[in-house]
Amino acid sequence: MSAWADGIEPSNDEEVIRIEDQDAIRYHRAFNDIVAKNGGTPPDDLDAQIEAWQPDNPDEPLLPVEINLGHMCAYLFGETLGQEDEAGCKGQV
């Protein structure tokens, strides 16, 4: 435990990633929308639904997403959807 604690330091509160790739933004918005509408469970035809997904207002641009890495906990996707086995957590604890 002491070796692990030796490596702990405060995260940078200003560390931000800005995602502007429209395909990536569309994919993740579609994924979240579809899974939410399916009670939190990915449907069997998830890929087909993502391909066909349209935003509620197609004239509205998919705005960039900013992720503050100083305050986050993120699943790291595994080989099988739903079986993420690791998470990365940072924050001002």
Side-chain angles (χ1 to χ4, degrees), residues 6-59:
D6 185 52
I8 294 178
E9 61 186 52
S11 59
N12 179 352
D13 217 13
E14 303 299 319
E15 188 177 357
V16 174
I17 292 177
R18 183 175 170 95
I19 300 165
E20 297 178 352
D21 179 340
Q22 288 291 293
D23 290 336
I25 294 168
R26 184 188 179 287
Y27 176 88
H28 288 288
R29 289 220 13 223
F31 178 92
N32 289 336
D33 191 35
I34 293 163
V35 172
K37 289 178 180 175
N38 199 45
T41 304
D44 292 336
D45 64 342
L46 179 62
D47 290 334
Q49 286 191 39
I50 288 174
E51 187 68 32
W53 180 86
Q54 292 296 317
D56 292 333
N57 183 355
D59 295 328

